[in-house]
Amino acid sequence: MTIGLARMRCSFLLLIILLITAPAAADDNRLGLFYDSAASVSEIEVSPNSTHSLYLILLDPVNESFDGGGSRDVEFVSGFECAIEPPSGDMLLTVTFPIPAINLGGTDSIVAGYATAVPVSSQRAATLATFSVLTMGNSPVGYKLVPTSPASISNTMAYVDFEDTGDNLVSMAPASGSHDLPVFTFGDYTFEQNAKWGAVKSLYR
């Protein structure tokens, strides 16, 4: 019995180690809203009734079903679609694109195609759009990213891989990990939680 429990304990610890050290595919193709173009500020305290710019940035784009076979890093994005849900009282005033684009949707539900493809930076990021927003001030509800209606890929956001001549639509997931969780907030609500999680992860590096 003691040997059996010891084996179970070892197996359990091995499973934990594998889960921690395994590559996180969910980190690919993440879409977020940020206060800066470097995609480092996802929450900030501001004054009420103020106007700000938010950057819509695609992180680590990877095409898992590239027409040439296998998966590869995406280098150019030629279009995308997603919808944005601001907290009650906030308004999306305008949306602009890094290069000329045609938007078949609106400011809060975008279906855009670029005149030429947007390059992905060496930091594996691409700014897809910039929003001007009017905010009522700090709110824990935050901004959420969700699929358009209808969506080209059911129940998900998507972008166009310029170099894929076959099935060039690639799914995107919110940087928050869920369409129900905000990707950006005006306020300081998650810093302490994120700091604690970062400390936990550092134990296994």
Side-chain angles (χ1 to χ4, degrees), residues 1-189:
M1 177 66 73
T2 303
I3 295 175
L5 289 175
R7 287 178 177 173
M8 288 177 62
R9 188 177 294 113
C10 288
S11 298
F12 181 69
L13 291 173
L14 178 60
L15 177 60
I16 291 176
I17 292 171
L18 288 174
L19 288 173
I20 292 171
T21 58
D27 287 343
D28 297 334
N29 300 316
R30 292 167 294 139
L31 187 65
L33 272 176
F34 299 93
Y35 198 73
D36 62 329
S37 59
S40 64
V41 181
S42 58
E43 65 177 17
I44 188 171
E45 294 185 84
V46 296
S47 301
N49 300 314
S50 53
T51 303
H52 303 268
S53 293
L54 296 179
Y55 299 87
L56 184 69
I57 301 178
L58 173 61
L59 303 170
D60 301 311
V62 174
N63 190 338
E64 297 290 350
S65 56
F66 177 50
D67 189 49
S71 65
R72 61 154 179 76
D73 289 345
V74 174
E75 301 297 339
F76 297 93
V77 176
S78 55
F80 74 98
E81 62 178 35
C82 77
I84 300 177
E85 295 180 353
S88 178
D90 284 21
M91 294 178 59
L92 301 173
L93 301 176
T94 61
V95 57
T96 57
F97 301 97
I99 56 178
I102 295 177
N103 180 15
L104 300 179
T107 305
D108 61 347
S109 184
I110 299 174
V111 181
Y114 301 114
T116 57
V118 172
V120 177
S121 73
S122 58
Q123 287 73 41
R124 303 303 303 149
T127 298
L128 304 184
T130 303
F131 295 89
S132 176
V133 303
L134 173 64
T135 180
M136 298 296 290
N138 302 330
S139 168
V141 176
Y143 288 71
K144 299 175 183 177
L145 295 176
V146 299
T148 56
S149 181
S152 297
I153 301 177
S154 181
N155 299 318
T156 189
M157 305 177 294
Y159 67 91
V160 181
D161 178 0
F162 175 74
E163 295 179 292
D164 193 340
T165 57
D167 185 9
N168 57 9
L169 282 178
V170 182
S171 298
M172 294 186 290
S176 62
S178 170
H179 297 301
D180 297 322
L181 297 175
V183 295
F184 178 85
T185 56
F186 284 116
D188 185 10
Y189 304 100

